[in-house]
Amino acid sequence: MVDPEPRPSAAQRLGAQETLGISTLDPGHRPPTMPPGRHVAITVRMLDGTDEVFDVSQRASGKVLFDLVCTHLNLVEGDYFGLEYEDHNKMTVWLDLLKPIVKQLRRPKHTVLRFVVKFFPPDHAQLLEELTRYLFALQIKHDLACGRLTCNDSSAALLVSHVIQSEIGDFEESQSRQHLLNNSYIPEQMALMDKIMEFHSKNVGQTPAESDYQLLEVARRLEMYGVRLHPAKDREGSKLSLSVSHTGVLVFQGHTKINAFNWSKVRKLSFKRKRFLIKLRPDLNSSYQDTLEFLMGSRDCCKVFWKICVEYHAFFRLFEEPKPKPKPVLFTRGSSFRFSGRTQKQVIDYVKDSEFKKIAFDRYRLGCLSGSFLSPPLICLSVPSTGLASDSPHLSASSGNSQGMVNGQKPVQLFGHSPDGRQPSPLTSPLLNDAGSVRTDDEDEVRRKRFPTDRAYFIAKELLTTERTYLKDLEVVTSFQDAVGKDEATPEPLKSTIFSHFDPLYKFHSGFLREVEQRLALWEGRSNAHIKGDYQRIGDVMLKNLQGLKPLMAHLQKHSEALVELEKACRASRRLEVLVRDFELQKVCYIPLNVFILRPLHRLTHYKQILERLCKHYPATHVDFRDSRAALADVSEVVAQLQAGMIKMENVQKLLELKKDLIGVDNLVTPGRMMCLTLDVLTCVSQEFIRLGCLSKLSGKGLQQRMFFLFNDVLLYTSRGMTATNQFKVHGQLPLHGMTIRESEDEWGVPHAFTLVGQHQSVVVAASSLSEMEKWMEDIKMAIDLAGSSNGPTSDLLASSLTDNKSPTEDSCQEAESEDDLAASRTSLERQAPHRGNTTVHVCWHRNTTVSMVDFSVAVENQLSGNLLRKFKNSNGWQKLWVVFTNFSLFFYKTHQDDYPLASLPLLGYSVTIPTESENIHKDYVFKLHFKSHVYYFRSESEYTFERWMEVIRSATVSASHRRSRKESHLY
């Protein structure tokens, strides 16, 4: 058998930086010190079913063996796991990490220990490494197979579909059916085979890492997730089972939970012989007794369960490992057992702080699920998605029919969001189902011969396809009108602004689109017209409609007022703010609502570009040249009048978007400034956004990934905290007035490093590449000049100022998020609310890249829609999709009539090239998108459309460094 081609490491797939020369020999990966003495071979059964033999000293403690296992796996988050075995009484017990192995295992050579999950967190997004999530997925697979994880048929089929997606890749009916016949994942699997295959067919494009994530997403909602039952009886002799979780002690009758005692209500847990006792805190409103008593099989059974309760409580509730009790002088009373190891908070902090010290996980090297992952993923974005929460590669994706019932509960959004409402990390594949048709080569050739090949036809067709998308975008605003117009919380000025301005535009462009569609039908010969020559033009249609648009100019000039009125109304009404947020989370609102509101202004620029291409193509003698030139003159005049205002409104829109992504900013956009914003009066907005992106900040803990936001007077640095809203927490601000900047790679020995020297503080940061460093330094120098020439005071954007004159060590301490910080961040209703996890900020965070305001302005001009053929990696067929390019992303639809995208692919960090001969893509007009190990092929219908897709995608895949010379910003 030929060995599979070596795959990139998990760190490379997840967009992690190189180690920059920092040692990867982290304390968590060093082999533990072995005490002297005779050695013994101990067998450990891994989660994939393989046995590994470890040579340890008989004097070694359980922790030595456990550390050897974690070192063997390169497992950083090993504290979630444990080693279990059957003792001489045939009871399953955990290996005590503090006691010598010989005192626990009577016959070490003949005992097989099992490496399994010990602590099940409530949210798998708290598992920060792909390897950890992979091992959890193996545990779920094992629990399903043995019947421990019970659930209804729909949930079981859904879980198995994610397992086989990770094992054999995308759905192919015969292969999927044969695999299910050869492998058993759940009891009574044959009866659910069709349902499993149905769910599997909807997982197209998921990588193994994404399948692990989705498997855990479904499993964590099941009542029996992570439950290990311990038989018991109540005082009346009724048979029950006890279990323990992160929340407290649970009571089951069969597989149904009948009671739960939260840790906050439990005063003490103890056992006396066969009796297990739960002492509760006094509660006048509770009917429970002060002490609850359960009878278990033996004293040993009581002690085993008591121990795991102690460990669960310590792991999930304490900030740090409890200190050992002092040894008594004369005699002992009770058990001396205590929890040993890091708490969950310590694990999370440790993994975050050792970002550059991780050893990459390679599931292929582990040999787990052998043969499962030989085929690469079909397309690689939060979840997110996505994506995505996790740091696995993500695209935010959603499929209308891809929801499953979990134990009869509310349908779960499987692909679009992670458990806390976030979308997966923005590196996931578009999880497209089989909605797109696969066209054969013969059909494609027939189509090419039937339609015109004139370049002007394809320019006109671009007008048609982009107008279809534009009208859909206007429908989003009109549907927003319907959503908020009837609510009492919506103020009249907002109702009148949106209703009076967008309805006339929607009606006008509906008629315009019909005329363009009719003209293209005539041009293509799909009508009864016999004289084609008179209809092979589009300039006359554009001239007529642009002249008809002039009476609506007043509405176009008022669009900024709609943006301002919406912001003012949301500030004044909490209810309206919730309505707007909920609307933005709907699938139809695939980009921020404010972007839709500014669409009519941007559309004029698109008309101007299309007419410029037409006039450049036509000779002066062409019948359509005169109309095209006249239409170009009309639209150019309008664009010139609105251009300065549009750029300033784009800045306001970006500030409003950033405000939602940041925690800890007081006055990024103040009400006083917003009240006077119109296209004519915009001078009151003094805050100007320049650039955002990832840099590594040097502190006492080493280099740490931070998100930086550059404005015209201040530089903010943030990190993504463990908040339910996926927002970035601001750690500090660096005023630009009086700041100097210098390269300092040689000074600190860190590639692409530069130092920012302020009046009270100096910060050393490192970019991911030389080009990234140059972009940052260029823009920061420009911003420093702007701040120096400004007469106004420097903005203080933070809710609470940072202490001046901080040393690197002090700075790192200030930046560490305490439990109090996290709790405080959850007190606000606004911060509790779900929030998009696939915005540009999150993509930059995961892809370790940067975007400037100039890039955003260029992106507004470069938008495109149309049909593309996408090649599946595992087949020779091409899938036809309707694709919309906007906001640095590709959005995928089945057809242009669809109301919302099936999936999306942010392109920041990607490269676009032409396939090489070795890739065997023997088709015309094919371009290739690739980011690290993710490669996608797309095929356009003509040379013109190929050039246009390459042009607009390059505008998103390559961040601007010197575009300012070509497109000078009107903000400065």
Side-chain angles (χ1 to χ4, degrees):
M1 178 179 175
V2 179
D3 290 333
E5 183 178 344
R7 296 302 190 88
S9 68
Q12 292 171 325
R13 292 202 305 273
L14 302 183
Q17 290 189 8
E18 298 298 326
T19 59
L20 304 179
I22 299 174
S23 172
T24 59
L25 191 59
D26 192 78
H29 294 296
R30 282 201 189 98
T33 303
M34 192 69 65
R38 191 163 62 90
H39 282 221
V40 62
I42 296 181
T43 302
V44 176
R45 182 156 297 157
M46 300 300 184
L47 278 164
D48 65 333
T50 60
D51 289 347
E52 298 288 343
V53 179
F54 297 91
D55 192 47
V56 298
S57 168
Q58 287 188 334
R59 297 184 181 181
S61 66
K63 181 169 174 36
V64 171
L65 175 60
F66 183 75
D67 287 348
L68 279 174
V69 176
C70 292
T71 303
H72 171 74
L73 293 172
N74 287 334
L75 180 61
V76 176
E77 298 173 293
D79 303 76
Y80 290 101
F81 302 84
L83 294 171
E84 65 177 13
Y85 65 97
E86 286 189 354
D87 65 6
H88 60 285
N89 293 323
K90 300 297 182 181
M91 287 182 55
T92 300
V93 296
W94 293 103
L95 186 72
D96 193 321
L97 300 186
L98 298 181
K99 289 184 179 180
I101 294 175
V102 292
K103 289 189 176 182
Q104 302 182 70
L105 307 181
R106 286 192 173 181
R107 303 175 67 192
K109 290 184 179 179
H110 304 284
T111 301
V112 177
L113 292 94
R114 295 180 295 274
F115 179 79
V116 294
V117 176
K118 187 174 186 179
F119 301 111
F120 289 81
D123 183 355
H124 57 277
Q126 295 173 341
L127 307 175
L128 303 182
E129 294 218 313
E130 183 185 337
L131 169 58
T132 315
R133 293 190 293 272
Y134 171 64
L135 294 175
F136 265 72
L138 290 180
Q139 182 69 64
I140 297 303
K141 179 185 171 186
H142 177 269
D143 290 350
L144 271 175
C146 70
R148 177 184 285 170
L149 182 57
T150 58
C151 55
N152 62 28
D153 289 348
S154 181
S155 299
L158 192 58
L159 290 165
V160 174
S161 75
H162 290 302
V163 172
I164 62 175
Q165 172 70 22
S166 69
E167 295 192 2
I168 65 175
D170 289 340
F171 176 76
E172 197 282 315
E173 184 172 2
S174 59
Q175 181 189 22
S176 180
R177 185 177 299 277
Q178 190 61 45
H179 186 80
L180 289 170
L181 290 173
N182 295 338
N183 299 273
S184 178
Y185 296 103
I186 51 175
E188 308 298 331
Q189 179 172 292
M190 290 297 294
L192 295 177
M193 183 175 293
D194 291 340
K195 200 170 192 66
I196 294 171
M197 293 174 63
E198 179 187 351
F199 281 127
H200 184 201
S201 68
K202 298 175 182 178
N203 296 340
V204 171
Q206 282 189 23
T207 64
E210 293 160 3
S211 297
D212 293 345
Y213 187 94
Q214 298 297 341
L215 177 73
L216 296 175
E217 170 64 13
V218 178
R220 77 177 187 91
R221 299 171 183 270
L222 301 174
E223 193 163 74
M224 296 301 293
Y225 171 68
V227 170
R228 301 295 182 258
L229 297 177
H230 297 256
K233 294 180 180 179
D234 61 13
R235 286 182 173 178
E236 285 73 36
S238 301
K239 290 184 179 181
L240 303 170
S241 295
L242 299 180
S243 184
V244 62
S245 73
H246 66 281
T247 59
V249 180
L250 312 177
V251 183
F252 284 82
Q253 197 161 48
H255 289 96
T256 303
K257 184 172 67 176
I258 61 172
N259 218 331
F261 302 101
N262 194 283
W263 292 126
S264 61
K265 297 179 181 179
V266 175
R267 183 166 61 89
K268 183 179 181 181
L269 295 176
S270 60
F271 65 95
K272 292 181 180 179
R273 297 184 177 87
K274 296 165 56 173
R275 291 182 299 147
F276 184 80
L277 307 174
I278 304 176
K279 291 187 178 182
L280 302 176
R281 299 185 187 279
D283 187 354
L284 298 178
N285 298 322
S286 175
S287 60
Y288 292 122
Q289 307 168 33
D290 177 59
T291 302
L292 299 174
E293 183 178 306
F294 297 90
L295 191 67
M296 305 190 80
S298 65
R299 179 187 182 277
D300 288 344
C301 292
C302 273
K303 187 171 184 179
V304 166
F305 183 62
W306 174 79
K307 281 184 175 181
I308 188 62
C309 287
V310 170
E311 292 183 309
Y312 251 86
H313 177 269
F315 183 75
F316 287 107
R317 297 281 289 181
L318 301 184
F319 287 175
E320 57 185 24
E321 178 183 356
K323 296 179 181 179
K325 298 177 181 178
K327 292 185 179 180
V329 178
L330 297 176
F331 59 89
T332 62
R333 182 180 179 183
S335 174
S336 62
F337 174 79
R338 67 177 180 87
F339 171 72
S340 172
R342 295 177 294 194
T343 65
Q344 187 190 32
K345 183 180 186 303
Q346 287 177 312
V347 174
I348 292 172
D349 291 343
Y350 173 78
V351 177
K352 279 187 173 181
D353 295 339
S354 59
E355 179 69 29
F356 294 94
K357 302 177 184 179
K358 298 176 185 177
I359 296 178
F361 156 53
D362 186 348
R363 66 178 71 212
Y364 311 100
R365 180 191 64 78
L366 290 178
C368 299
L369 297 174
S370 59
S372 302
F373 311 116
L374 299 184
S375 59
L378 187 63
I379 285 193
C380 267
L381 144 237
S382 82
V383 74
S385 168
T386 196
L388 296 165
S390 75
D391 291 336
S392 60
H394 144 77
L395 267 263
S396 75
S398 55
S399 179
N401 299 320
S402 301
Q403 295 181 347
M405 295 294 288
V406 178
N407 273 1
Q409 299 176 14
K410 181 181 178 181
V412 182
Q413 180 64 39
L414 297 180
F415 304 133
H417 297 82
S418 60
D420 50 11
R422 295 174 291 181
Q423 294 186 348
S425 126
L427 290 175
T428 312
S429 307
L431 308 178
L432 298 176
N433 56 21
D434 57 358
S437 60
V438 178
R439 180 194 298 158
T440 65
D441 295 334
D442 292 340
E443 290 172 336
D444 189 51
E445 192 62 31
V446 169
R447 183 187 175 282
R448 284 196 187 187
K449 290 178 179 178
R450 189 172 73 240
F451 289 146
T453 57
D454 181 17
R455 186 178 181 88
Y457 161 76
F458 292 108
I459 296 175
K461 192 169 182 180
E462 179 182 337
L463 171 65
L464 170 66
T465 56
T466 53
E467 190 71 12
R468 282 172 173 166
T469 297
Y470 173 56
L471 196 64
K472 281 286 185 183
D473 289 349
L474 288 180
E475 284 181 8
V476 173
V477 182
T478 55
S479 62
F480 173 70
Q481 293 176 183
D482 297 336
V484 303
K486 300 176 183 177
D487 197 276
E488 296 178 355
T490 307
E492 287 302 323
L494 178 60
K495 291 181 182 179
S496 61
T497 300
I498 296 183
F499 291 1
S500 62
H501 294 163
F502 281 89
D503 281 345
L505 283 174
Y506 180 77
K507 292 177 182 176
F508 171 81
H509 285 282
S510 297
F512 181 30
L513 177 59
R514 282 195 299 271
E515 287 193 41
V516 175
E517 287 176 335
Q518 291 168 2
R519 177 56 58 88
L520 265 292
L522 292 168
W523 201 331
E524 293 171 354
R526 291 186 286 117
S527 72
N528 294 326
H530 301 289
I531 307 174
K532 297 182 180 179
D534 292 342
Y535 299 103
Q536 292 182 348
R537 54 179 176 162
I538 197 66
D540 58 331
V541 176
M542 294 197 72
L543 177 60
K544 171 192 169 185
N545 282 276
L546 286 174
Q547 290 175 344
L549 190 60
K550 286 183 179 180
L552 299 178
M553 277 296 298
H555 295 292
L556 292 174
Q557 291 175 337
K558 296 292 185 180
H559 272 63
S560 59
E561 290 185 10
L563 194 66
V564 174
E565 287 295 338
L566 181 59
E567 174 63 16
K568 286 169 56 180
C570 287
R571 287 178 179 274
S573 170
R574 170 65 183 164
R575 177 176 172 79
L576 180 62
E577 183 184 12
V578 172
L579 286 173
V580 173
R581 184 197 68 222
D582 290 346
F583 181 82
E584 282 198 312
L585 290 175
Q586 294 181 22
K587 295 176 184 178
V588 69
C589 194
Y590 62 97
I591 53 179
L593 178 61
N594 286 338
V595 178
F596 287 111
I597 293 177
L598 294 182
R599 274 286 197 256
L601 302 176
H602 300 153
R603 187 58 180 156
L604 295 172
T605 304
H606 303 156
Y607 292 150
K608 180 173 178 286
Q609 293 172 337
I610 288 171
L611 287 164
E612 285 173 342
R613 284 193 286 273
L614 271 176
C615 291
K616 185 178 180 180
H617 167 68
Y618 284 141
T621 56
H622 194 280
V623 64
D624 203 28
F625 178 75
R626 180 179 297 179
D627 288 340
S628 298
R629 188 172 61 178
L632 177 59
D634 285 347
V635 75
S636 297
E637 180 183 355
V638 176
V639 170
Q641 292 173 3
L642 301 178
Q643 184 67 24
M646 280 196 296
I647 293 179
K648 292 182 183 296
M649 286 310 303
E650 288 166 11
N651 177 66
V652 173
Q653 186 274 320
K654 184 50 59 179
L655 292 177
L656 293 173
E657 185 179 324
L658 291 179
K659 186 185 72 169
K660 297 178 181 179
D661 276 315
L662 297 176
I663 294 177
V665 175
D666 264 355
N667 58 340
L668 194 61
V669 185
T670 63
R673 291 172 182 167
M674 288 299 301
M675 289 177 65
C676 59
L677 292 179
T678 67
L679 278 175
D680 301 321
V681 185
L682 284 163
T683 54
C684 296
V685 180
S686 59
Q687 199 69 48
E688 297 165 5
F689 166 71
I690 298 176
R691 181 176 290 275
L692 64 85
C694 272
L695 291 170
S696 298
K697 181 174 177 290
L698 186 63
S699 68
K701 297 182 179 181
L703 286 170
Q704 295 177 314
Q705 185 181 7
R706 292 287 179 260
M707 197 72 182
F708 281 74
F709 299 83
L710 176 64
F711 300 92
N712 60 318
D713 55 356
V714 68
L715 179 65
L716 302 180
Y717 55 94
T718 72
S719 69
R720 194 176 69 167
M722 288 174 55
T723 64
T725 55
N726 239 1
Q727 293 164 297
F728 287 80
K729 181 176 180 181
V730 179
H731 289 303
Q733 61 178 343
L734 304 172
L736 299 181
H737 189 78
M739 177 183 285
T740 59
I741 182 173
R742 69 172 187 272
E743 293 189 37
S744 52
E745 180 175 327
D746 296 336
E747 179 181 354
W748 295 98
V750 178
H752 319 307
F754 55 96
T755 302
L756 304 169
V757 182
Q759 294 180 345
H760 305 290
Q761 182 181 359
S762 296
V763 173
V764 180
V765 295
S768 59
S769 65
L770 177 61
S771 63
E772 286 283 288
M773 182 185 74
E774 290 174 345
K775 294 171 193 173
W776 275 107
M777 292 189 68
E778 177 188 357
D779 279 352
I780 292 175
K781 287 176 181 176
M782 178 196 66
I784 290 173
D785 293 341
L786 289 172
S789 61
S790 173
N791 296 325
T794 300
S795 298
D796 186 8
L797 297 182
L798 295 190
S800 57
S801 302
L802 295 184
T803 306
D804 293 337
N805 303 317
K806 292 185 292 187
S807 66
T809 305
E810 292 169 341
D811 184 59
S812 67
C813 296
Q814 292 253 359
E815 290 183 17
E817 293 193 34
S818 68
E819 194 70 21
D820 293 336
D821 293 332
L822 297 178
S825 70
R826 294 187 177 97
T827 57
S828 165
L829 286 176
E830 178 181 8
R831 292 169 185 168
Q832 280 275 22
H835 180 62
R836 287 184 177 273
N838 64 338
T839 61
T840 305
V841 178
H842 293 82
V843 177
C844 288
W845 172 263
H846 288 285
R847 301 261 173 89
N848 197 20
T849 187
T850 178
V851 177
S852 71
M853 190 62 213
V854 178
D855 294 319
F856 283 107
S857 296
V858 171
V860 164
E861 295 181 359
N862 288 282
Q863 299 185 22
L864 197 59
S865 307
N867 286 313
L868 284 176
L869 298 177
R870 185 191 68 172
K871 186 182 184 302
F872 284 88
K873 290 229 173 188
N874 313 358
S875 70
N876 296 322
W878 293 78
Q879 183 185 27
K880 183 181 179 182
L881 296 168
W882 176 261
V883 183
V884 174
F885 172 78
T886 185
N887 263 37
F888 305 104
S889 300
L890 293 176
F891 294 90
F892 302 95
Y893 301 75
K894 178 183 176 182
T895 69
H896 68 84
Q897 290 101 340
D898 291 355
D899 291 328
Y900 56 85
L902 298 169
S904 62
L905 176 63
L907 296 181
L908 294 173
Y910 270 78
S911 298
V912 57
T913 58
I914 300 173
T916 61
E917 287 290 332
S918 60
E919 292 172 275
N920 296 319
I921 307 294
H922 304 299
K923 298 292 179 183
D924 296 330
Y925 315 129
V926 176
F927 58 91
K928 169 185 172 185
L929 284 172
H930 51 101
F931 173 77
K932 300 187 181 295
S933 63
H934 309 304
V935 179
Y936 324 117
Y937 300 101
F938 292 95
R939 182 173 158 202
S940 54
E941 64 178 350
S942 69
E943 182 180 1
Y944 172 80
T945 52
F946 170 77
E947 292 171 353
R948 286 291 292 134
W949 281 108
M950 290 284 284
E951 178 185 353
V952 298
I953 290 176
R954 277 178 176 149
S955 72
T957 56
V958 181
S959 178
S961 57
H962 301 285
R963 281 179 177 157
R964 194 164 285 106
S965 59
R966 184 178 69 84
K967 181 180 175 69
E968 198 69 33
S969 174
H970 288 68
L971 291 173
Y972 311 129

